[in-house]
Amino acid sequence: MDNHTLLFQRLMENISVSVFFKDLESRFIAINKTCANKFGISDPEEAIGKTDFDFFSLVHAQVAFEDEQRIIQTLQPLINKEEKEVFLEDGGETIRWSSTSKFPLIAEGGELIGTYGVSKDITEKKLNYQEIERLKDQVESILNAVPNLIFVKDKQGTFRMANAAANDFFRKAHGSVIGKTDEDLGISIDRAKKYSLVEKKVIENQNPVFFPEEKTTLSDGSEVWHQTLKVPFKISKTNEPAVLSVITDVSNRIKQEYELTQSIKTIEKQNHRLLNFAHTVTHNLRNYAGGITMLIDSMKRETDETVKESYFELLGVAAIRLNSTINDLNEIIDKQHNVEGTVDRVQLKKSVQKIIDILASDIISTKTTIAQDIPNNFEFDYQCAYLDSILLNLISNAIKYRNPKNEPEIQIKAYEEEGSVYMEVKDNGLGIDLKKYGDNLFGMYKTFHENENSKGIGLYITRNQIESMGGHIQVESEPGVGSCFTVHFGPKERE
């Protein structure tokens, strides 16, 4: 070994990277200790005159030989080539990665005498990189698995990242949202400007912004409600300011809150009706009880048998009326609280005809004319028993409270408006003074005409049945002209 090689050997002994020199046949002419340890030998002298074939697998040695021959032929260096190397250590295989740079070796006179190289062990770096890539893939899988829309937009409003849920929401293939803006994805100009202002505010103030509820109408006309959180974010590598958005679909919660609100309103109405009912029952029964008590007290004091007999007759009348009132109250309870019936698909025209058939004798005897403006197959979801009761009350009342000055005429009209079903029952009867009786029109035991068959419970039951199904009833009336009852049955289709 010449003096130059020996000097180089001493200089390279404590360097942590592998350094080697090879001749034109790719035989080692000098290596340092780090390189020797890599080959599994402790003395660098043992490698002199040998090639990679003596230390590595055939494939790896052949690749190294071809690299060196290319450098010798072209005099072009090979910079930072990463290589995977397999070593046999402790009876098993050990995989190491190295980054190697190789150069042509030129003597002082300019003669090419071989190659030299520097090789650095990058196994730990490579393993760390692989772990980072694994974690990155895992995080991406998690982001794509969650139902929330998650995306990042830069300060120009351009999407820089979007998970699978966001791509699906915008009806785009995976990854195709990247590089687009809100307007590119079909967001309205007004809403896009709103988002832009909010995101600029988030970046400037470095504070998150939260939207508890926001409605979006999709292209198919359906509506969804979203909850949005926008927080400050930094884009990796460039450290560019951006905004991370996390959007949650809260449509089910909004729907449940709406249904709960409607249920509370219904319960409040039912409680109000129940309270009125209780007051009415208490008032009526107290009157009957007081009257009966007075008759009994009078009978106890009376000595005249003839007078006592008259008291007995009055007591019998009071008992009959009390029994009739109790029967009426039972009927109201049965119809008001019997809500267990199933909701069916009903055809209004058939239901109206059924009631006309039931009232046929009254219609004929009073010469009542009934005109119908109901489309064929006019169907909606409703409780059959309630519908029959409502129709029977409205049509029979129109006949019962007819104007003796003219022949009764009843017009029944049905129509649909904004997904809800409506019906009008109009007559030319006696009519009602709404200014005088409007507040009590649907009250229990409220009558407005001198009719011996009037009990004042028909309209009370009708209103309760309609409202229990989520609808309402209104009336327009003028004394001597007639009345028009408008029933809103509710939505055409019920869940």
Side-chain angles (χ1 to χ4, degrees):
M1 181 180 298
D2 59 32
N3 291 332
H4 290 89
T5 304
L6 182 60
L7 177 60
F8 170 77
Q9 190 81 35
R10 289 175 179 173
L11 290 172
M12 295 296 105
E13 280 182 355
N14 297 318
I15 294 180
S16 61
V17 297
S18 298
V19 181
F20 57 87
F21 286 79
K22 292 182 181 181
D23 61 18
L24 296 175
E25 278 76 37
S26 296
R27 292 188 297 266
F28 289 99
I29 57 176
I31 66 171
N32 67 346
K33 281 188 177 181
T34 303
C35 189
N37 293 334
K38 175 181 173 182
F39 296 152
I41 57 179
S42 57
D43 185 2
E45 288 293 329
E46 295 182 29
I48 305 305
K50 295 180 180 179
T51 67
D52 286 308
F53 289 96
D54 296 309
F55 301 106
F56 298 110
S57 67
L58 178 63
V59 174
H60 179 77
Q62 185 65 34
V63 170
F65 177 77
E66 291 173 354
D67 289 342
E68 288 147 10
Q69 293 303 306
R70 184 175 66 81
I71 293 172
I72 292 171
Q73 292 172 8
T74 64
L75 297 180
Q76 295 295 320
L78 186 65
I79 307 296
N80 294 332
K81 179 181 180 182
E82 291 186 1
E83 297 176 289
K84 181 180 179 182
E85 303 168 342
V86 180
F87 296 92
L88 293 174
E89 294 181 359
D90 301 327
E93 289 187 346
T94 300
I95 298 176
R96 292 188 177 277
W97 288 84
S98 63
S99 175
T100 304
S101 299
K102 296 180 180 180
F103 307 88
L105 181 60
I106 310 295
E108 291 183 5
E111 180 185 2
L112 175 66
I113 60 174
T115 60
Y116 73 94
V118 179
S119 180
K120 183 179 180 181
D121 190 324
I122 59 170
T123 302
E124 185 176 355
K125 177 182 177 181
K126 194 74 175 180
L127 292 176
N128 288 339
Y129 175 78
Q130 290 176 342
E131 179 65 12
I132 291 172
E133 286 296 308
R134 186 188 69 80
L135 292 175
K136 179 183 175 183
D137 291 341
Q138 190 173 44
V139 170
E140 186 175 349
S141 297
I142 293 172
L143 290 175
N144 287 331
V146 297
N148 305 72
L149 279 66
I150 302 175
F151 53 83
V152 173
K153 289 194 286 184
D154 59 25
K155 58 185 179 181
Q156 286 77 34
T158 303
F159 283 81
R160 302 293 289 272
M161 186 281 288
N163 70 342
N167 282 276
D168 292 342
F169 179 79
F170 292 117
R171 302 177 186 271
K172 299 293 182 182
H174 182 68
S176 61
V177 169
I178 307 303
K180 291 182 171 57
T181 64
D182 286 331
E183 291 186 34
D184 294 334
L185 297 172
I187 304 296
S188 68
I189 296 176
D190 290 341
R191 183 167 285 192
K193 286 181 179 179
K194 172 187 171 184
Y195 292 156
S196 177
L197 290 173
V198 171
E199 288 157 4
K200 287 179 180 178
K201 182 179 178 182
V202 171
I203 292 174
E204 291 172 1
N205 299 336
Q206 289 296 291
N207 288 322
V209 173
F210 179 69
F211 296 99
E213 295 171 4
E214 188 174 35
K215 183 174 73 173
T216 301
T217 303
L218 303 179
S219 57
D220 60 2
S222 61
E223 295 179 347
V224 293
W225 288 85
H226 285 128
Q227 185 180 83
T228 302
L229 175 65
K230 292 183 179 289
V231 298
F233 191 76
K234 296 287 185 181
I235 295 175
S236 60
K237 296 183 180 179
T238 65
N239 212 30
E240 179 185 352
V243 176
L244 169 67
S245 298
V246 180
I247 301 177
T248 305
D249 189 329
V250 293
S251 301
N252 288 334
R253 177 176 66 79
I254 297 296
K255 179 182 177 183
Q256 290 170 358
E257 288 177 355
Y258 174 78
E259 291 175 348
L260 179 60
T261 301
Q262 295 304 113
S263 297
I264 292 173
K265 289 180 179 179
T266 300
I267 291 171
E268 289 176 347
K269 289 180 180 179
Q270 290 175 342
N271 287 341
H272 180 70
R273 290 197 299 268
L274 183 61
L275 184 61
N276 287 339
F277 180 79
H279 287 327
T280 302
V281 171
T282 302
H283 174 75
N284 290 350
L285 294 184
R286 185 187 297 117
N287 287 338
Y288 284 119
I292 291 173
T293 300
M294 288 178 59
L295 288 172
I296 293 175
D297 289 341
S298 299
M299 287 175 63
K300 288 180 179 179
R301 293 192 300 269
E302 185 60 55
T303 58
D304 190 327
E305 292 298 324
T306 303
V307 176
K308 277 188 177 182
E309 185 68 26
S310 65
Y311 283 151
F312 267 116
E313 292 178 0
L314 293 174
L315 190 61
V317 172
I320 292 172
R321 289 179 178 175
L322 175 61
N323 186 61
S324 176
T325 298
I326 292 174
N327 289 334
D328 290 340
L329 295 176
N330 284 333
E331 181 183 359
I332 291 171
I333 292 172
D334 290 340
K335 291 188 177 182
Q336 180 170 332
H337 298 286
N338 182 24
V339 295
E340 297 180 357
T342 58
V343 173
D344 298 311
R345 198 70 174 171
V346 298
Q347 287 193 8
L348 186 58
K349 206 160 192 175
K350 288 184 178 180
S351 298
V352 169
Q353 187 58 50
K354 179 168 68 173
I355 301 305
I356 291 174
D357 292 341
I358 292 173
L359 299 173
S361 59
D362 291 335
I363 293 171
I364 294 171
S365 63
T366 58
K367 299 181 180 180
T368 299
T369 302
I370 298 179
Q372 298 184 50
D373 184 9
I374 304 174
N376 293 325
N377 298 321
F378 189 82
E379 299 179 343
F380 58 98
D381 295 337
Y382 214 71
Q383 193 178 113
C384 291
Y386 276 12
L387 180 61
D388 290 347
S389 176
I390 292 166
L391 291 172
L392 182 60
N393 271 321
L394 293 179
I395 296 174
S396 63
N397 277 355
I399 298 173
K400 184 187 298 183
Y401 301 110
R402 61 190 178 275
N403 193 330
K405 296 179 181 180
N406 47 49
E407 292 184 353
E409 294 180 359
I410 302 173
Q411 299 176 15
I412 303 174
K413 178 182 178 181
Y415 56 94
E416 182 182 343
E417 189 174 284
E418 296 182 354
S420 290
V421 179
Y422 295 84
M423 180 185 70
E424 295 178 0
V425 178
K426 185 177 182 181
D427 63 58
N428 62 343
L430 294 173
I432 303 168
D433 188 345
L434 295 180
K435 291 182 180 179
K436 185 176 182 181
Y437 301 114
D439 293 339
N440 298 318
L441 182 60
F442 295 100
M444 189 164 63
Y445 292 123
K446 301 297 181 181
T447 58
F448 315 103
H449 300 291
E450 299 298 327
N451 190 315
E452 61 181 10
N453 295 324
S454 298
K455 293 184 178 181
I457 65 173
L459 287 179
Y460 177 82
I461 292 174
T462 296
R463 186 192 66 175
N464 285 345
Q465 289 173 333
I466 292 170
E467 290 183 353
S468 70
M469 294 294 290
H472 60 265
I473 183 171
Q474 295 176 319
V475 62
E476 295 178 3
S477 188
E478 184 178 343
V481 177
S483 304
C484 179
F485 288 87
T486 301
V487 179
H488 172 216
F489 286 111
K492 185 175 182 179
E493 296 180 355
R494 299 171 186 264
E495 296 183 359

